[in-house]
Amino acid sequence: MSENLKFENIYCVGRNFAGHAKELGNKIPTSPLIFQKSNSAVNINETIEIPSNKTIEHELEVVLLIGKEGVPKNREEAHTFISGFSIGLDLTAVSYTHLTLPTNREV
């Protein structure tokens, strides 16, 4: 991703992989969990310091940049909303994974 990239929102889809939900001891939901992350979660060229007293889980994520507003009429049109993609490294402090997240709502 470019250092000059400007974006307003980060929307995430979680617990959409049954194997990972099971591995974490979570129930497998009937629909994915949709949540937001702060723009400060993006780190392009800075060092990530991990405290020695924390256990950190990591996974690679597919990152899509949605370049236009609206709702696609069908699957075929959906790809026209994607203006770029990348790979992201998601780091999670294990001590925070037990926290209850808000109820999933339709977006």
Side-chain angles (χ1 to χ4, degrees), residues 18-88:
H20 190 235
K22 195 173 184 180
E23 176 183 299
L24 293 173
N26 296 320
K27 291 181 181 177
I28 299 171
T30 56
S31 61
L33 175 70
I34 307 296
F35 60 98
Q36 283 187 276
K37 283 192 177 187
S38 166
N39 291 0
S40 65
V42 175
N43 179 344
I44 298 192
N45 287 322
E46 296 177 23
T47 301
I48 299 170
E49 294 186 29
I50 299 174
S52 60
N53 64 341
K54 297 285 183 193
T55 301
I56 304 296
E57 294 286 332
H58 65 282
E59 59 187 341
L60 291 177
E61 304 284 0
V62 174
V63 178
L64 300 177
L65 179 63
I66 307 301
K68 67 180 183 181
E69 292 185 27
V71 178
K73 295 180 181 99
N74 52 49
R75 282 184 166 216
E76 290 73 28
E77 185 187 23
H79 77 278
T80 67
F81 284 70
I82 300 170
S83 61
F85 63 93
S86 185
I87 294 175

